[in-house]
Amino acid sequence: MNYLSLFCDNTELIDETSRLISEHLLGKDTFTKVRLRFEDLKDNFNAVTFDEWDNSGKYSLWKFSSGLTPYMDYDDTSIVPIPFSNDTFKMQNTVASLDFPVWFNMKECSRRVLFISQDPIPRSIKWYQNCEDALCSTVFGLHNPLWRNKGNGGKRMWLLIQALVENGCGVYITDCHKLAIQSRDGEILNTTESQAAVYRELLKAEINMIKPGLIVAFGNIAGSMMDFIETQEVPVLSLPHFSGLSQGKIKKYFNWPEEKQFPIEDQATCYSQTIIKNIPL
């Protein structure tokens, strides 16, 4: 299956998601940059950074659009800073991380599943100490071929997405807490009530935009937020957070013997079968 053609495959969704990110999070004046970032993600789906690249020809070298280059011209990352103009999130002496939602097979597929995970991975204070902009990547690093196939990276989510797409589903992946905001000493700051209200509003807008047949909430934080979200009667399936840190909960949920290894391939199969079983006909 050609996943390159299925990644962020819906132009209308690129436009609408870019509008939601700019209007709710970064500022309306960032729309052009946000949309261009989506185009860069699409164009570089099988590309790696200069630091990761070799001349074997397996992967191409990431090409950045003008104005969307890494902070301080770092050559080991595809994360790019986009300036804030939204005062709700523009805070002094902080470092903010934003993972763009991405999707697969959403252009014509009507059997849609919306994944809601927790929050972005905070970026290293060591390297971004003086950055005032939003550091933009993607949920689970799904834009990067090396990270997609890294066991302690995005591989388990990538296996799950592939299983669902191969069973005729379209998958949209987003976070419930849209930003991870750190103080200059690396402490993750608690979400303010005004920020939380924006997150809820944005998540509702994403649900209305996607019109999924099923919402899957990964972990307690995502599950708790769904208690405050009107889903327009879309069923919500709560599953353990799909990460290496949740192995105990995952084994318990799927009645996997505690003493037995649970390979991520088997985990992806269990998750995909459970999700497919819960998608309304």
Side-chain angles (χ1 to χ4, degrees):
M1 189 169 288
N2 184 2
Y3 283 92
L4 170 61
S5 66
L6 298 178
F7 178 64
C8 293
D9 60 341
N10 189 318
T11 302
E12 290 183 4
L13 273 186
I14 290 178
D15 289 339
E16 188 63 13
T17 305
S18 298
R19 184 186 66 78
L20 293 179
I21 291 172
S22 59
E23 289 188 357
H24 288 81
L25 298 176
L26 300 182
K28 292 182 179 180
D29 58 328
T30 66
F31 172 82
T32 300
K33 278 198 171 186
V34 172
R35 195 192 186 289
L36 184 57
R37 173 63 173 172
F38 272 112
E39 294 294 343
D40 277 8
L41 293 172
K42 261 186 76 66
D43 292 345
N44 290 283
F45 182 67
N46 285 320
V48 296
T49 66
F50 181 84
D51 187 63
E52 298 165 331
W53 182 82
D54 59 41
N55 59 6
S56 67
K58 185 175 183 180
Y59 300 114
S60 56
L61 181 62
W62 186 286
K63 295 180 180 178
F64 295 94
S65 291
S66 177
L68 286 175
T69 56
Y71 182 66
M72 300 288 288
D73 292 325
Y74 294 152
D75 62 8
D76 62 346
T77 184
S78 55
I79 296 170
V80 299
I82 297 180
F84 282 107
S85 61
N86 183 346
D87 290 338
T88 303
F89 298 100
K90 187 177 182 180
M91 303 166 65
Q92 290 186 334
N93 299 316
T94 59
V95 175
S97 301
L98 167 63
D99 284 347
F100 277 24
V102 294
W103 57 89
F104 294 85
N105 196 34
M106 295 288 287
K107 187 173 184 180
E108 297 177 354
C109 182
S110 59
R111 200 179 189 205
R112 295 181 169 188
V113 181
L114 172 61
F115 284 1
I116 301 173
S117 191
Q118 185 169 304
D119 52 19
I121 298 174
R123 311 308 168 195
S124 171
I125 292 293
K126 177 181 178 181
W127 302 113
Y128 295 104
Q129 179 72 233
N130 297 311
C131 183
E132 299 286 346
D133 304 334
L135 298 167
C136 299
S137 186
T138 62
V139 287
F140 295 97
L142 290 168
H143 68 287
N144 183 296
L146 298 182
W147 194 253
R148 286 196 300 271
N149 291 292
K150 189 175 181 181
N152 62 346
K155 185 174 182 178
R156 67 184 70 234
M157 182 57 68
W158 180 224
L159 290 170
L160 174 55
I161 290 167
Q162 290 178 90
L164 292 173
V165 170
E166 288 165 9
N167 277 276
C169 298
V171 185
Y172 180 97
I173 311 101
T174 193
D175 287 322
C176 62
H177 288 181
K178 303 301 184 179
L179 290 155
I181 302 177
Q182 301 164 267
S183 64
R184 295 297 184 190
D185 60 6
E187 179 186 1
I188 301 293
L189 302 181
N190 291 330
T191 302
T192 67
E193 184 50 46
S194 60
Q195 291 170 348
V198 172
Y199 294 160
R200 292 191 293 268
E201 183 181 348
L202 178 49
L203 193 53
K204 284 191 289 187
E206 287 179 289
I207 294 169
N208 291 334
M209 173 181 68
I210 298 302
K211 297 178 173 59
L214 178 69
I215 296 169
V216 181
F218 290 101
N220 293 334
I221 293 177
S224 297
M225 179 170 277
M226 295 313 300
D227 294 337
F228 300 93
I229 301 293
E230 172 57 55
T231 66
Q232 305 297 325
E233 299 184 355
V234 178
V236 177
L237 173 64
S238 293
L239 294 175
H241 197 268
F242 202 18
S243 75
L245 297 176
S246 302
Q247 291 304 291
K249 292 180 180 179
I250 293 172
K251 283 185 174 182
K252 183 177 181 180
Y253 186 92
F254 292 107
N255 296 314
W256 196 270
E258 185 62 36
E259 70 281 0
K260 185 180 176 183
Q261 281 199 336
F262 199 179
I264 60 175
E265 291 81 5
D266 291 336
Q267 292 182 35
T269 297
C270 288
Y271 271 80
S272 65
Q273 289 176 347
T274 301
I275 290 168
I276 289 168
K277 184 174 66 177
N278 281 275
I279 299 174
L281 297 176

